[in-house]
Amino acid sequence: MADVAILETRERVLAGILLTGAAYLLFSTQDASIKLLVTGMTVWQIMFFRSITILGACAAIGGRALFADTVRSPIVRPMLVRSAFTLAAWLCYYNAARSLQLAELTTVYYAAPIIVTVLSVFLLGEKVPMLRWLAVLIGFAGVFVACDPTHLGLSVPVLLVLTAAFLWGIAIVLLRKTALAERSMIQLLLNNFYFLLFSVVPALWWWHTPDLPQLLLLASVGALGGLAQYLLFEGMKRTPASILAPLEYTSLLWAFALGFAIWGDVPRREVFLGAALIVAAGLLIVGGEHFRKRL
């Protein structure tokens, strides 16, 4: 009986890792779409369209019952706080996207996994083994080797991304708490309802009528963002935040690939060494968790 329980726990953690990894792939694709959009409209308007799209999908899938359950949910207030941190991170991150390459943007942002790991100890009481700390540090070292963010200097866009990393770290730790208390569809609906409330007035104030290509990009941002959020919520239900933190580094690989495909950015030689370190960190955390559960 104990062996079955251990196997179920191990499979649950590995499923959480896979779901979260897929979420970061979708988030990276969403980021590329938003970087294309921010040259012609405000982040507020993008957030407004994204929230409307996701809420529409929630209504189509869950119907009135989902909205009724959401009103009675115990996480209505906690999600307001978490959504506020996420919103602030969003605004900092995507306003910086106007000035930085996608690879640079993602690289500077990767203070977040270390912040998540540290906060998971102090706020969630999670025990972080040395192997997991090592994986986080290897991944962060890989980020520096790949892009050397120090050459960017402490410009306003860089400071915005660093602020976004700190705010997102807090939001992820808060997400771990709410993820265990409510099902993912309710979290998705609440998160985007609050985003809609926060963004509607600024979006209408600085309104820019989108053309057809922009409308298609806005629709893709909503679809990608909604699915990515759902997968992230599901992953957080299954796996401690400190285990999932290093998986954020996989977004860097997607950022390089998308940067080359869309803007023709060619990574330097150091990028490949950094990417190897990042992949090694991800394999270390997955392999270490697999081995620990077997023991």
Side-chain angles (χ1 to χ4, degrees), residues 31-43:
D31 289 349
S33 299
I34 291 175
K35 182 170 172 58
L36 291 169
L37 285 167
V38 290
T39 58
M41 64 179 62
T42 65
V43 176

Side-chain angles (χ1 to χ4, degrees), residues 54-73 75-76 182-190 230:
I54 295 173
L55 288 173
C58 289
I61 295 171
R64 292 183 180 179
L66 175 61
F67 284 83
D69 292 343
T70 300
V71 171
R72 295 191 295 266
S73 174
I75 69 165
V76 170
E182 191 55 271
R183 67 184 195 265
S184 297
M185 285 299 295
I186 288 180
Q187 295 184 68
L188 190 63
L189 193 153
L190 277 174
Y230 182 82

Side-chain angles (χ1 to χ4, degrees), residues 33-285:
S33 299
I34 291 175
K35 182 170 172 58
L36 291 169
L37 285 167
V38 290
T39 58
M41 64 179 62
T42 65
V43 176
W44 294 106
Q45 190 173 351
I46 297 169
M47 189 182 306
F48 174 78
F49 273 98
R50 179 178 181 264
S51 301
I52 286 288
T53 303
I54 295 173
L55 288 173
C58 289
I61 295 171
R64 292 183 180 179
L66 175 61
F67 284 83
D69 292 343
T70 300
V71 171
R72 295 191 295 266
S73 174
I75 69 165
V76 170
R77 290 185 179 179
M79 278 295 290
L80 175 61
V81 177
R82 195 189 77 79
S83 296
F85 278 105
T86 306
L87 168 68
W90 245 66
L91 291 172
C92 292
Y93 187 82
Y94 291 116
N95 276 301
R98 292 189 175 94
S99 305
L100 299 177
Q101 293 182 355
L102 188 60
E104 292 174 339
L105 189 71
T106 309
T107 299
V108 178
Y109 170 76
Y110 275 98
I114 290 180
I115 294 170
V116 171
T117 303
V118 173
L119 290 177
S120 69
V121 174
F122 292 102
L123 299 184
L124 299 180
E126 293 183 4
K127 295 181 179 179
V128 181
M130 287 301 299
L131 186 63
R132 212 177 295 163
W133 282 114
L134 179 62
V136 171
L137 293 175
I138 289 174
F140 195 60
V143 169
F144 271 83
V145 171
C147 280
D148 187 19
T150 55
H151 85 277
L152 297 174
L154 289 179
S155 61
V156 172
V158 171
L159 290 174
L160 282 173
V161 180
L162 289 173
T163 303
F166 179 74
L167 294 170
W168 178 247
I170 296 175
I172 283 290
V173 172
L174 294 175
L175 171 59
R176 175 63 179 163
K177 288 187 173 183
T178 57
L180 298 175
E182 191 55 271
R183 67 184 195 265
S184 297
M185 285 299 295
I186 288 180
Q187 295 184 68
L188 190 63
L189 193 153
L190 277 174
N191 193 50
N192 288 280
F193 173 72
Y194 289 136
F195 272 23
L196 182 64
L197 287 182
F198 293 145
S199 64
V200 60
V201 173
L204 294 176
W205 185 265
W206 288 294
W207 183 264
H208 165 80
T209 302
D211 55 25
L212 181 58
Q214 288 174 327
L215 278 174
L216 293 175
L217 280 173
L218 286 168
S220 71
V221 165
L224 292 167
L227 183 55
Q229 285 181 57
Y230 182 82
L231 294 179
L232 185 62
F233 294 154
E234 286 294 308
M236 285 289 179
K237 284 180 181 291
R238 294 165 170 79
T239 309
S242 54
I243 293 179
L244 296 178
L247 292 179
E248 285 202 59
Y249 292 123
T250 59
S251 298
L252 182 61
L253 304 179
W254 302 125
F256 288 137
L258 291 167
F260 175 75
I262 298 172
W263 293 279
D265 297 335
V266 179
R268 295 172 289 109
R269 181 179 59 184
E270 291 82 0
V271 169
F272 295 100
L273 176 58
L277 289 171
I278 295 166
V279 171
L283 293 176
L284 182 63
I285 199 69

